[in-house]
Amino acid sequence: MTWDEIWPLLRQGTVETLQMTLWSTVITAVFGVLLGLALVVTDRRGLAPVPAVHHLLGLVVNVGRSIPFIILLVALLPLTRALVGTTIGTTAAIVPLAISAIPFYARLVETSLREVDPGVVDAARAMGASRVQIAGKVLLREARPGLLAGLTVTFVALIGYSAMAGAIGGGGLGDIAIRYGYQRFENTVMIAVVAVIVVLVQVVQLLGDRLVRRLSHR
């Protein structure tokens, strides 16, 4: 293949990959924060200790993190079809990407929230803040740098997962690498796809690190 043929493929694949990862990251951020917050709040020393719920949530998160993405991708085909009406294409890939990333990010959220200075929480309690106020205005606010750093790591992981989604017709750069680089032995296409993915990862990590530093200095 010539570069005149490769460039349009790379542009389309990059747009599809960004679409998959961005939407998956948004969904992961919402549900991952909620799940991570629930793990901290329901802990024995949390704001609303409910050990049974805490252990159940922990089990769900551990099981979700332990399933390899390629297996989860296939296992979720019926759910994907039920939610979006198809199992192929960029939109369909968002479902397994988000579901696989939520438990991963939830653990990062939990870790960040546990690093918040207990003295800040005690001070909020002494001033009469409610549990909801402490959770939203103290824990989440104080943990913002860690939450953003974790989300950056998750975004980078989703870029890699999106490439695997190409194995079952998920679109994006992974689909191009498989169809042209692997099946048609177009080594130039394979190298170009890898180069684009590396650049995407570097850009995302750089932007994420800068935002984390800004939040940390406030």
Side-chain angles (χ1 to χ4, degrees):
M1 296 181 66
T2 65
W3 282 107
D4 289 338
E5 297 172 309
I6 294 174
W7 282 121
L9 288 174
L10 289 179
R11 284 196 298 270
Q12 179 184 356
T14 301
V15 170
E16 291 176 349
T17 294
L18 288 174
Q19 180 182 350
M20 283 187 284
T21 52
L22 284 172
W23 278 108
S24 301
T25 301
V26 170
I27 297 171
T28 298
V30 174
F31 289 98
V33 166
L34 292 176
L35 184 54
L37 183 60
L39 283 167
V40 173
V41 169
T42 58
D43 190 24
R44 286 185 305 171
R45 291 171 290 182
L47 297 173
V50 186
V53 174
H54 176 78
H55 290 312
L56 178 60
L57 292 176
L59 178 62
V60 171
V61 169
N62 289 337
V63 170
R65 293 173 61 206
S66 64
I67 302 175
F69 177 69
I70 194 67
I71 296 176
L72 187 66
L73 192 65
V74 176
L76 290 175
L77 287 178
L79 177 62
T80 301
R81 183 181 291 108
L83 291 176
V84 300
T86 181
T87 58
I88 60 174
T90 303
T91 303
I94 293 173
V95 176
L97 283 171
I99 291 177
S100 67
I102 288 172
F104 175 78
Y105 183 54
R107 280 300 184 194
L108 298 179
V109 171
E110 181 188 15
T111 300
S112 297
L113 294 177
R114 291 190 186 281
E115 292 176 351
V116 174
D117 186 358
V120 179
V121 177
D122 292 338
R125 278 176 171 163
M127 290 186 291
S130 66
R131 293 173 179 176
V132 174
Q133 289 174 326
I134 293 174
K137 296 183 179 180
V138 178
L139 287 177
L140 291 179
R141 184 178 180 83
E142 292 294 320
R144 284 183 303 174
L147 296 178
L148 183 55
L151 192 61
T152 301
V153 172
T154 304
F155 194 108
V156 170
L158 283 171
I159 292 176
Y161 287 168
S162 71
M164 283 189 278
I168 61 168
L173 293 169
D175 183 48
I176 294 173
I178 292 172
R179 285 193 295 119
Y180 294 91
Y182 176 71
Q183 295 178 350
R184 301 185 186 183
F185 303 101
E186 294 283 353
N187 293 330
T188 303
V189 175
M190 183 70 78
I191 294 172
V193 167
V194 171
V196 172
I197 291 176
V198 169
V199 171
L200 286 178
V201 168
Q202 295 301 317
V203 170
V204 169
Q205 191 66 58
L206 179 62
L207 292 176
D209 290 344
R210 287 187 175 181
L211 289 174
V212 169
R213 284 195 294 270
R214 286 187 180 182
L215 287 177
S216 299
H217 293 156
R218 290 182 179 179

